[in-house]
């Protein structure tokens, strides 16, 4: 019933609009006719007043009297002629015409004061006749226009020209009156360019019924292809890859149907389809069929309230991460730099949301027993650290959410609903650093419901870490599907720093991290010393990283232990601190390796500038920040042939080994040679400016932030083709909403949370968090967050 009602409603709307246009045109025609009649009445009234004036001026005149005294008539005309000439000059001047036109309204009439001329003529009465300006005396009344014409014939040519404006005006009035009395005006309106444009716009808004009828109906293979395409989320959870789904769709969706689709769309759309894929073609095919029936999808089970529109206002970007300084980890440092460089653009305001730890957890996580009594104190530390390294004061907001440290997972987990710490008025764009980590136990509002666009950035290869634990394969299997689950439910786009990470839904691979500007300055200093002929590197090889087995220490000890004789005399310094420090050092001593272990320190420390070779054998990293920093300082880097190092392949100082034997060869090559100086292009590629540019492009933020203000068109897959399928239900979004709802229900059960490794009491934050962050207790209704 709804499908049948839609076309009739649209037709009624168009009919009503056309009636309004027609009524408006009729009203304009009536007004034009009234004005034409007003002109006509004006001329008639003017003529009648002059006739009355002549009749009243000499009521006793008679024709015989005029004929009997010709000399008196001539004398009267001579006396009257100067006054009439003055009358002509006054009323034929441009000022008089201008005043008449200014006062010309539909019911306005021009009244001319003829009292002066009347008095002059009365004073010159010559008997009982009426003056005839054409032939002398006439028995009938003389019209005003005829009198003017007669006088013009008796005057010179220059005097006749004085009356030309009046004569032309009278001619135009007569022509307009004749035209207004016919259908010529309406015919002109009917054939006008305005009407043609209006009809064209109506056709573009609503296709003709004939066009809709030409769209062929869907057949069974097409319906099956679309069903398989929309079931992608379910098949992905069952282990069926996206490539397999695409092949199934392509086999079901025949080439013959592609041809039919191209015939039913416009030339512009056909050109787009020619360069598209099978999924885009199927979307447009389904949309064209639904459009021909008049059906429009108006939401489904998970439709939420409308989000705030920021298209005409300043945009807001919220960056949510899982760690904070002074913990020197990638998820603390890189999001901080991202916030600083994104805030340099005036197009958006930036908020960095970091975890706040109670004092007991701070003592476990932060180095050198550094603790903070308040969030304001920690914020000051973060801003000072950042300004020292970037050289500029970044204008962005830092906020805190409650977090707790998990000793088993060696990471910080959120407590409560993290999304509530971003006010609804600023809920525009969210960047989730480690989206799987943030959402494992997330029990709160769905991110994609609150924000207009949600981007996840994957930092860590959790599957690689889990496989190293007891029953690692089984745990990795469950974690893989949970990661798919939460990223699909809570993210619109996912960025993977390298192919070493898990293949997640809606994900692309791009390195969106840069290096601290301080490392680039160190590299420039080293290059300047080399140009002066000085020896820049005075030390050999080193390794730096958190001292846990998964950070490459296992691979390093295995390689050095296996090729100890091949690298005879090779010494290496190792900088790091961590939970596995004692075991790592014990293994090195047992194998009698020449490794000098030292406490962890900042990679930019002066004591590390003179090392020439950085060795990083880790294969668990997603994208090693220390490798990028070493390259920025102009050092050699020896690393494994692994997807995490693919970004560094283009740098000549990056020596990649494929086998253990190749490792020995690369180490010797680096120790015996000098690194190449970095080019300006290579320096820029490592910078945060380039990383921010890549992030804006691959996350689609450049289009989202610019399309409303600068008229940038959305990408083809997000705009022209996918936009045409807005009238049909999206089963993928329906599935994602179902996954989010199921996740919310499961994470609300404390027993299930504890069974899957959650920290007890993290569904809501505790009293200490309330005290530190000045929050209301979670069981009390909070008017700010709407609990």
């Amino acid at each position: 019933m709804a499908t049948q009602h839609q076309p009739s409603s649209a037709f009624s709307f168009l009919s009503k609009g056309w009636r309004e246009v027609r009524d408006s045109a009729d009203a304009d025609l009536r007004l034009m006719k009234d004005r034409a009649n007003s002109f006509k009445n004006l001329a008639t009234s003017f003529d009648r007043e002059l006739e009355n004036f002549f009749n009243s001026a000499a009521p006793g005149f008679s024709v015989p009297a005029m004929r009997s005294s010709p000399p008196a008539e001539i004398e009267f005309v001579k006396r009257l002629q100067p006054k009439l000439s003055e009358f002509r000059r006054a009323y034929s001047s441009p000022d008089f015409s201008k005043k008449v036109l200014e006062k010309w309204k539909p019911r306005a009439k021009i009244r001319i004061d003829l009292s002066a001329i009347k008095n002059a003529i009365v004073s010159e009465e010559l008997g009982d006749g009426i003056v005839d300006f054409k032939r002398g005396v006439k028995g009938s009344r003389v019209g005003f226009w005829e009198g003017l014409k007669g006088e013009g014939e008796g005057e010179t040519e220059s005097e006749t020209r004085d009356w030309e404006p009046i004569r032309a005006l009278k001619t135009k009035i007569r022509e307009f009156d004749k035209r207004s009395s016919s259908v010529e005006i309406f015919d002109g309106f009917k054939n006008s360019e305005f009407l043609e444009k209006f009809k064209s716009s109506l056709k573009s808004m609503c296709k003709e019924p004939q066009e809709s009828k030409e769209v062929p109906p869907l057949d069974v293979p097409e319906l099956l292809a679309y069903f398989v395409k929309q079931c992608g989320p379910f098949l992905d959870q069952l282990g069926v890859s996206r490539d397999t789904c695409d092949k199934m769709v392509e086999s079901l969706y025949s080439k013959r149907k592609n041809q039919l689709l191209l015939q039913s769309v416009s030339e512009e759309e056909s050109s787009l389809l020619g360069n598209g894929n099978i999924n885009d073609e199927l979307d447009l095919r389904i949309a064209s069929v639904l459009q021909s029936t008049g059906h429009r999808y108006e939401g489904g089970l998970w439709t939420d309230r409308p989000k705030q529109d920021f298209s005409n206002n300043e945009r807001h970007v919220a960056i949510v991460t899982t760690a904070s300084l002074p913990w020197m980890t990638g998820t603390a440092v890189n999001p901080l730099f991202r916030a600083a460089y994104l805030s340099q653009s005036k197009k958006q305001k930036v908020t960095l949301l970091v975890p706040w730890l109670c004092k007991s957890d701070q003592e476990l996580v932060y180095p050198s027993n550094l603790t903070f009594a308040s969030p304001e104190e920690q914020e000051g530390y973060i801003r000072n650290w950042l300004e020292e390294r970037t050289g500029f004061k970044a204008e962005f907001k830092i906020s805190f959410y409650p977090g707790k440290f998990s000793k088993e997972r060696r990471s910080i987990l959120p407590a409560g609903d993290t999304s509530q710490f971003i006010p609804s008025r600023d809920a525009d764009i969210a960047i989730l650093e480690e989206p799987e980590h943030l959402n494992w136990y997330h029990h709160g509002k769905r991110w994609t419901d609150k924000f207009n666009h949600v981007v996840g950035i994957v930092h860590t290869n959790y599957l690689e870490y889990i496989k190293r634990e007891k029953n690692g394969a089984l745990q990795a299997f469950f974690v893989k599907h949970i990661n798919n689950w939460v990223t699909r439910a809570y993210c619109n786009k996912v960025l993977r720093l390298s192919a070493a990470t898990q293949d997640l839904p809606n994900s692309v691979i791009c390195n969106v991290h840069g290096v601290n500007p301080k490392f680039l300055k160190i590299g420039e200093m080293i290059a300047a010393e080399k140009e002066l002929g000085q020896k820049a590197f005075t030390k050999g090889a080193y390794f730096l990283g958190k001292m846990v087995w998964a950070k490459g220490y296992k691979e390093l000890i295995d390689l050095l232990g296996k090729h100890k004789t091949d690298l005879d005399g090779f010494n290496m310094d190792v900088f790091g601190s961590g939970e596995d420090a004692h075991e790592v050092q014990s293994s090195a001593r047992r194998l009698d390796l020449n490794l000098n272990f030292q406490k962890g320190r900042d990679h930019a420390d002066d004591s590390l500038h003179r090392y020439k070779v950085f060795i990083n054998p880790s294969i668990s990293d997603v994208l090693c920040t220390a490798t990028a920093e070493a390259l920025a300082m102009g050092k050699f880097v020896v690393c494994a042939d692994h997807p995490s190092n693919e970004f560094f392949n283009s740098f000549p100082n990056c020596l990649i080994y494929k086998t253990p034997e190749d490792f020995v060869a690369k180490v010797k090559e680096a120790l015996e040679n000098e690194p190449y100086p970095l080019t300006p292009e290579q320096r820029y590629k490592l910078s945060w400016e380039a990383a921010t540019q890549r992030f804006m492009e691959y996350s689609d933020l450049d289009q989202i932030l610019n399309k409303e203000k600068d008229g940038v068109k959305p990408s083809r897959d997000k705009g022209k083709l996918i936009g045409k399928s807005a009238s049909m239900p999206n089963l993928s979004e329906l599935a994602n909403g179902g996954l989010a709802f199921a996740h919310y229900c499961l994470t609300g059960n404390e027993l299930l949370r504890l069974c899957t490794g959650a920290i007890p009491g993290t569904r809501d934050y505790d009293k200490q968090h309330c005290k530190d962050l000045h929050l209301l207790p979670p069981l009390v209704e909070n008017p700010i967050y709407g609990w």
Side-chain angles (χ1 to χ4, degrees):
M1 294 297 292
T3 304
Q4 296 176 357
H5 180 68
Q6 292 292 338
S8 61
S9 299
F11 183 75
S12 300
F13 172 76
L14 294 176
S15 300
K16 181 180 178 182
W18 174 246
R19 285 198 301 271
E20 291 176 356
V21 173
R22 185 184 62 189
D23 294 342
S24 177
D26 292 341
D28 291 340
L29 288 175
R30 286 195 297 271
L31 181 59
M32 294 167 66
K33 287 184 179 182
D34 291 343
R35 291 189 176 182
N37 292 333
S38 177
F39 254 112
K40 185 177 180 181
N41 295 335
L42 172 66
T44 305
S45 176
F46 198 67
D47 191 13
R48 187 180 299 111
E49 287 190 23
L50 285 182
E51 289 178 3
N52 293 337
F53 151 67
F54 284 123
N55 291 337
S56 62
F61 278 22
S62 63
V63 176
M66 291 295 295
R67 287 179 179 175
S68 63
S69 56
E73 174 190 350
I74 297 173
E75 186 66 21
F76 167 74
V77 172
K78 288 181 179 180
R79 291 182 180 181
L80 184 62
Q81 194 172 25
K83 297 183 180 299
L84 291 176
S85 299
E86 183 180 353
F87 167 73
R88 288 198 307 270
R89 286 193 299 272
Y91 286 93
S92 62
S93 65
D95 294 338
F96 172 73
S97 301
K98 183 177 180 181
K99 291 178 181 180
V100 170
L101 292 175
E102 287 177 353
K103 297 182 179 181
W104 181 28
K105 294 182 178 179
R107 297 185 178 179
K109 296 183 179 180
I110 301 177
R111 301 290 182 178
I112 302 177
D113 186 7
L114 302 177
S115 58
I117 301 177
K118 175 181 178 182
N119 294 335
I121 296 178
V122 171
S123 65
E124 301 296 337
E125 289 181 352
L126 296 176
D128 299 331
I130 298 177
V131 178
D132 187 352
F133 294 99
K134 184 176 181 180
R135 295 180 179 176
V137 180
K138 189 172 181 181
S140 60
R141 294 181 178 181
V142 181
F144 171 68
W145 300 108
E146 294 176 357
L148 291 178
K149 180 179 179 181
E151 184 176 357
E153 291 175 355
E155 295 175 353
T156 62
E157 184 177 356
S158 61
E159 291 174 338
T160 304
R161 262 189 226 109
D162 293 341
W163 293 97
E164 185 65 27
I166 300 297
R167 190 177 295 109
L169 179 61
K170 183 177 179 181
T171 303
K172 294 293 184 182
I173 291 173
R174 288 174 179 171
E175 293 177 356
F176 187 82
D177 185 47
K178 292 179 181 179
R179 187 175 180 182
S180 65
S181 61
S182 64
V183 296
E184 185 177 348
I185 294 178
F186 186 74
D187 291 340
F189 173 77
K190 231 174 16 172
N191 298 326
S192 65
E193 182 180 357
F194 164 76
L195 188 59
E196 293 299 326
K197 289 183 177 179
F198 180 75
K199 291 162 78 175
S200 299
S201 64
L202 288 178
K203 288 182 178 180
S204 64
M205 288 189 295
C206 182
K207 290 187 176 181
E208 296 293 334
Q210 296 89 319
E211 296 180 7
S212 299
K213 293 179 181 178
E214 293 179 359
V215 179
L218 296 171
D219 61 3
V220 174
E222 287 176 315
L223 292 173
L224 289 175
Y226 187 68
F227 179 76
V228 172
K229 177 180 178 296
Q230 294 287 12
C231 288
F234 297 105
L235 296 176
D236 186 55
Q237 292 297 325
L238 295 176
V240 180
S241 66
R242 281 179 288 179
D243 293 338
T244 304
C245 290
D246 291 341
K247 291 179 180 178
M248 293 171 62
V249 172
E250 186 174 2
S251 63
L252 290 170
Y253 190 56
S254 64
K255 297 299 181 181
R256 184 177 64 87
K257 292 301 178 182
N258 291 339
Q259 297 174 357
L260 292 175
L261 174 59
L262 293 175
Q263 294 174 1
S264 64
V265 296
S266 62
E267 295 180 359
E268 180 182 0
E269 293 164 357
S270 300
S271 62
L272 288 172
L273 285 175
N275 298 325
N277 56 34
I278 197 69
N279 290 324
D280 292 336
E281 295 175 1
L282 182 56
D283 275 343
L284 188 54
R285 167 71 174 135
I286 300 294
S288 63
V289 174
L290 291 176
Q291 189 179 35
S292 67
T293 64
H295 171 73
R296 182 169 183 83
Y297 181 64
E298 298 181 353
L301 182 61
W302 313 113
T303 302
D304 200 3
R305 61 177 177 82
K307 304 169 190 175
Q308 187 173 353
D309 183 14
F310 291 86
S311 58
N312 297 323
N313 304 321
E314 191 172 28
R315 308 306 295 265
H316 295 262
V317 177
I319 303 175
V320 187
T321 187
T322 58
S324 177
L325 294 179
W327 190 10
M328 297 300 296
T329 184
T331 52
V333 175
N334 291 311
L336 180 60
F337 280 114
R338 194 183 329 281
Y341 283 89
L342 281 177
S343 65
Q344 288 188 305
S345 173
K346 301 301 181 182
K347 295 179 181 178
Q348 67 274 341
K349 291 183 177 180
V350 178
T351 299
L352 177 63
L353 188 62
V354 298
W356 167 259
L357 298 178
C358 298
K359 190 172 182 179
S360 57
D361 285 339
Q362 293 183 28
E363 294 172 352
L364 295 175
V365 178
Y366 298 152
S368 304
N369 296 322
L370 185 62
T371 59
F372 304 97
S374 66
E376 292 77 15
E377 184 181 352
Q378 185 172 1
E379 179 180 351
Y381 176 91
I382 294 172
R383 291 191 183 276
N384 292 335
W385 185 93
L386 179 65
E387 190 172 351
E388 289 177 1
R389 285 152 180 79
T390 60
F392 62 87
K393 188 175 182 179
E395 298 293 337
F396 65 92
K397 180 181 178 182
I398 298 179
S399 298
F400 293 84
Y401 69 87
K404 289 189 176 183
F405 180 70
S406 172
K407 296 180 181 179
E408 294 75 15
R409 295 181 181 271
R410 298 171 182 173
S411 60
I412 298 173
L413 297 177
D417 180 11
T418 310
S419 66
Q420 68 187 10
F421 294 94
I422 299 295
S424 297
R425 64 179 180 274
D426 297 337
D428 183 13
I429 298 169
I431 301 172
L432 305 183
E433 310 278 353
E434 293 199 313
E436 68 277 54
H437 184 155
L438 284 169
N439 292 300
W440 279 333
Y441 305 106
H442 175 70
H443 182 70
K445 192 171 184 63
R446 186 184 177 192
W447 294 95
T448 51
D449 285 345
K450 183 170 184 176
F451 291 84
N452 294 309
H453 189 67
V454 181
V455 180
I457 302 178
V458 180
H459 290 248
T460 309
N461 188 359
Y462 288 106
L463 301 183
E464 185 64 30
Y465 290 137
I466 293 172
K467 289 177 182 178
R468 298 168 184 254
E469 298 178 0
K470 184 179 180 181
N471 299 322
L474 181 61
Q475 293 186 59
F477 173 81
F478 286 108
V479 171
K480 174 184 177 182
H481 290 283
I482 292 174
N483 290 346
N484 274 338
W485 184 350
V486 295
T487 53
R488 181 182 295 279
Y490 296 118
C491 295
N492 299 116
K493 193 70 173 284
V494 177
L495 301 181
R496 299 158 55 201
L497 298 180
S498 72
T501 58
Q502 176 184 344
D503 186 12
L504 295 169
N506 304 319
S507 65
V508 293
I509 298 173
C510 180
N511 175 22
V512 293
H513 287 176
V515 299
N516 186 332
K518 191 173 183 179
F519 294 104
L520 293 172
K521 293 180 181 179
I522 295 173
E524 293 174 359
M525 179 191 68
I526 297 295
E529 292 179 356
K530 286 184 176 181
E531 290 180 359
L532 296 175
Q534 301 177 5
K535 188 175 182 180
F537 299 114
T538 58
K539 299 180 180 179
Y542 75 106
F543 177 64
L544 178 143
K546 185 178 180 180
M547 200 167 291
V548 293
W549 285 114
K551 285 292 185 180
Y553 285 92
K554 183 178 184 301
E555 290 83 2
L556 177 64
I557 290 179
D558 289 345
L559 287 170
L560 294 179
K562 185 177 181 179
H563 297 281
K564 183 169 59 174
T565 55
D566 297 331
L567 294 172
D568 187 27
F570 173 73
N571 295 313
M572 183 175 177
D573 295 334
V574 179
F575 300 88
S577 303
E579 295 84 352
D580 299 332
H582 179 71
E583 296 181 11
V584 171
Q585 295 176 17
S586 299
S587 298
R589 285 194 297 268
R590 186 171 57 254
L591 295 174
D592 193 23
L593 301 178
N594 294 325
L595 296 179
N596 179 26
F597 291 96
Q598 303 184 38
K599 288 185 178 182
R601 62 191 66 180
D602 191 338
H603 205 174
D605 192 83
D606 293 341
S607 61
L608 302 178
H609 292 178
R610 301 304 170 182
Y611 284 95
K612 184 170 66 171
V613 182
F614 176 72
I615 297 177
N616 181 20
S618 175
I619 56 173
S620 63
D621 287 326
V622 172
L623 185 81
C624 185
T625 304
T627 298
E629 293 168 350
L631 289 173
M633 290 188 287
K635 305 177 187 294
F636 274 125
V637 173
V638 178
C639 56
D641 184 15
H642 189 261
S644 61
N645 298 318
E646 185 177 354
F647 178 78
F648 307 116
N649 279 345
S650 60
F651 292 87
N653 290 336
C654 183
L655 306 179
I656 296 178
Y657 64 89
K658 297 182 179 181
T659 63
E661 293 74 18
D662 196 19
F663 168 77
V664 175
K666 298 297 182 183
V667 169
K668 290 182 178 180
E669 178 184 350
L671 293 173
E672 295 171 359
N673 297 283
E674 287 296 318
Y676 298 96
L678 291 177
T679 65
E681 293 78 11
Q682 291 169 347
R683 287 194 186 96
Y684 178 75
K685 188 176 180 180
L686 292 170
S687 68
W688 265 105
E689 288 84 358
T692 303
Q693 184 179 2
R694 294 192 297 267
F695 170 76
M696 296 294 291
E697 178 183 356
Y698 281 83
S699 65
D700 298 333
L701 287 192
D702 54 348
Q703 300 168 1
I704 293 172
L705 295 176
N706 296 332
K707 66 180 180 181
E708 292 90 354
K709 295 181 180 180
D710 303 334
V712 178
K713 295 182 179 180
S715 61
R716 182 178 61 83
D717 60 334
K718 293 286 184 185
K720 190 72 177 177
L721 294 177
I722 304 304
K724 289 186 175 297
S725 62
S727 62
M728 58 185 172
N730 191 330
L731 295 182
S732 295
E733 180 57 30
L734 184 65
N736 295 343
L739 291 172
F741 179 74
H743 184 262
Y744 177 85
C745 294
L746 293 175
T747 54
N749 187 291
E750 186 66 18
L751 180 60
L752 287 176
R753 294 173 65 93
L754 295 177
C755 292
T756 54
I759 301 175
T762 54
R763 188 180 66 177
D764 297 308
Y765 45 79
D766 56 23
K767 293 182 179 180
Q768 187 61 43
H769 284 129
C770 294
K771 181 180 178 181
D772 295 342
L773 298 175
H774 309 291
L775 303 174
L776 292 178
L779 296 180
V780 179
E781 184 177 358
N782 191 329
I784 298 177
Y785 302 122
W787 294 338

